Each structure stands twice: as structure tokens, then as C-alpha cells.
Amino acid sequence: MRFGYFLSTEEFTPAELVEQAKLAEEAGFDALWISDHFHPWNDEQGEAPFVWSLIGAISQVCSLPVTTAVTCPTYRISPVVMAQAAATSAVMLEGRFIFGVGSGEALNEHIHGEPWPSADVRLERLEEAVELIRELWKGEFTNHQGKYYTSDTARIYTLPDSPPPIYVSGFGPKAVDLAARIGDGYITTSPEAGPLREFKEKSGGKPAQVGLKVCWADSEEEGVEEAHRLWANSGLPGELAQVLPSPRHFEQASELVTKESTAESLACGPDVDAHVDYLRPAVEAGFDELYVGNIGRHYRDMLTTYGAEVLPRLRELAAQR
């Protein structure tokens, strides 16, 4: 089992994210996740740099594999341009790149003014986009006239030696089915064993990644305060994360999330045992890779302590599974 670090573009500046990537490698993490947003979830988070610029910068300071977690290649940017961006990233990372894709959130994808469609339509568009991207990665002139996308004699010239894997994000049953059918792997932010088991059975055992957040701080109280201020939105139920269109709407909805529920849903503070216990279900569920991101300003302390104390214990748990 591999253990990676989750770079949050919603919360940190480009310089901080590049620093975190370098520190994660020095701490002994195996790989990186990086989110792809146009907006943060709320104004307290306050950042949203362009992920493709960051991947290029990260490739120059560390040698860890990188997965986008996740890119929506269907609305904000066309799949033709996404194919070029992902191919260049794979070249710069010398093949250590996984293109993580999903059906998107209105928060990031509605910005051109298109109506936000149903989940079924979003998944249908994602399937066509992935098909087109794979065609473009063959390096030939590509003509495509599909239901949603058109490509007119488009050719990607800068390509890696082999196409990067495409991992598909899935939360509901239909998305898990799609991930198993068209993906080279699976991505989720839920450590639940049920969807993972379903994906493994339907895909023939393809790899699966899960990402979680913690809040390292000098005390549990400080960690809860910081996590609730910055990431109360992670406690919103159902499909709200997919359909709310702007940070202010997430701020309004997050008023319903209590500080107590934030405390119950995350590992907050400096207790190593609490962090290991929080991550244990993801290890025991059978994921192939677990990514952990830190909320708040104490990411240097988190990375150092995880490298020295948390990762060895997680690896021991994985070996015993």
C-alpha cells in the first residue's frame, strides 16, 4: 500500500503547494494528490491557482508521482485541451502522472454560464470525454463528432512514452459503475468499504485511491477551530457539493454544520494515536493508496511527524492486512 500527501489548491498559495510537495518527498510520502479548482469552497480557504502550472513547478522540485484529484474534463476546459495538458504533465513528470477525472461540481464548471445538468448527463459527457482524450493520446490527427464534443484534425505532438492511466472518481453507484468500466483505477474521498468492494469486483481488481484530510495543530481545540473555519463544507450531506454554484452558497449551507460534527469527523490536534486511528479504516478497507492532506498552517509539523511516526505505523497496519 502506498501513502501519499494531498495538496489542496483551495487553501494554499502556489509557493506553499510547491514547498509541501518537496517536504512530502523528504518526509517519506510515496506520491502526491493535487486538487483542480477554479473556485475554493469558501472565501476562508481563499486560493485557487491553475493546477497545470503547479504540476510543472512540482516536477522541478520533487520526483513523486502526481495524480489530479480530480479534474473535470467536460465543461470548464474542453477534453481536447485537457488531453494536451495531461500529456505535457506526464512528460514533465517522466511518466509519473495519473490523470484523475470526475464529472465535476457546479462550483468550478458553471463559470461559462452553461446550465448545470443532471448527474446522468454529467457521467455521459465524462465517458465521451475520456474516449476522445484516449484517441488524442495516440498522436494522430483526430476527428470526432460526438454527442457533446467535436474535434477537427486535432493532434497532440508532445506525448509521453505511454499514455498516462486515467482514474475515475466515483461516489454514487452509477459513478462507481462507470469508473469500473472505463477507468484504469478508482478515486474517492470516502473510506467506506462497500463502494470499494463493488469497484474491485466490477473492474477485475483495478487499483483504488482514497484521500482524507486531517488538521494538525498544537492542541485538539485549535485543530477543531481551524478545521471548522476552513473546511466545514466537508460536512455537507448528499449531492450539495456537486450542485451549489459558488463559495458564498457553500458558506451559507455550511452554517448548518456544527463545530461538534467537525470534531467528530476529523483527526484534529497533535495526538499521533488519534491520527492513526482516524486513518485506520481506509487502510483496513483495502485501498491501494491513501492520501492525507493537512488543513491549516501547521503543515510543516504535520509532514515531519507523519514521516517519523504516523507513516511507519500505517505501513505496519497495511502489512498486517
Side-chain angles (χ1 to χ4, degrees), residues 65-104:
V66 177
T67 299
T68 52
V70 293
T71 291
C72 175
T74 59
Y75 288 94
R76 177 174 25 131
I77 305 177
S78 81
V80 176
V81 178
M82 286 285 89
Q84 183 189 29
T88 299
S89 294
V91 170
M92 295 193 73
L93 288 161
E94 298 179 336
R96 301 182 307 274
F97 177 71
I98 294 173
F99 191 27
V101 301
S103 61

Side-chain angles (χ1 to χ4, degrees), residues 6-10 12-14 17-18 21 32-39 47-59 66-73 76-77 81-82 84-86 88-90 92-93 97-101 108-109:
F6 188 173
L7 299 166
S8 175
T9 60
E10 305 97 309
F12 297 103
T13 67
L17 292 163
V18 171
L32 298 169
W33 257 20
I34 188 164
S35 56
D36 181 359
H37 272 244
F38 187 86
H39 292 135
E47 294 289 340
F50 190 55
V51 70
W52 303 103
S53 301
L54 275 165
I55 291 172
I58 289 166
S59 74
V66 177
T67 299
T68 52
V70 293
T71 291
C72 175
R76 177 174 25 131
I77 305 177
V81 178
M82 286 285 89
Q84 183 189 29
T88 299
S89 294
M92 295 193 73
L93 288 161
F97 177 71
I98 294 173
F99 191 27
V101 301
N108 299 305
E109 308 305 325

Side-chain angles (χ1 to χ4, degrees), residues 28 30 70 163 176 198 202-203 250 313:
D30 302 313
V70 293
V176 173
E198 183 181 355
K202 292 182 176 179
S203 70
F250 278 92
R313 291 179 59 180

Side-chain angles (χ1 to χ4, degrees), residues 13-24:
T13 67
E16 288 171 328
L17 292 163
V18 171
E19 178 194 17
Q20 288 176 27
K22 186 176 180 181
L23 292 174

